[in-house]
Amino acid sequence: MNSAMRIHEMMNSAQTIVNHIARSKDFSTRLMNAAQGSNIAEVNRLVKSIQTPYSPIAHFSPDGLVLTFFYQTKAHPTPDSCCQLQIKMRWI
């Protein structure tokens, strides 16, 4: 099943990003401060600075962060044409 393969690929990107957040106190603090300050440009810059094949769309609140990964190709440019993976984290 192709969508399962795509989810697997997106999970690898998600794992790389989550590992970076978990292992770098400096990075996670900057990410949380940017999100809690509603600085979307800085949140996106920080997330994209962790180079992965799939870059998520970040949504956040003062309570947490949501990263949504979409599979897109030139043939299927719509973000949810195949599948998506969403990671939700709280600032705790």
Side-chain angles (χ1 to χ4, degrees), residues 57-69:
I57 295 173
H59 301 279
F60 53 84
S61 71
D63 296 326
L65 177 69
V66 178
L67 300 175
T68 305
F69 296 81

Side-chain angles (χ1 to χ4, degrees), residues 33-51:
N33 289 340
Q36 290 178 334
S38 298
N39 188 343
I40 193 163
E42 181 63 4
V43 169
N44 285 324
R45 187 193 71 74
L46 287 166
V47 170
K48 289 181 190 226
S49 74
I50 307 167
Q51 296 186 357

Side-chain angles (χ1 to χ4, degrees), residues 67-85:
L67 300 175
T68 305
F69 296 81
F70 295 98
Y71 178 75
Q72 292 177 282
T73 66
K74 290 180 183 178
H76 300 284
T78 307
D80 51 6
S81 63
C82 163
C83 40
Q84 69 179 23
L85 174 68

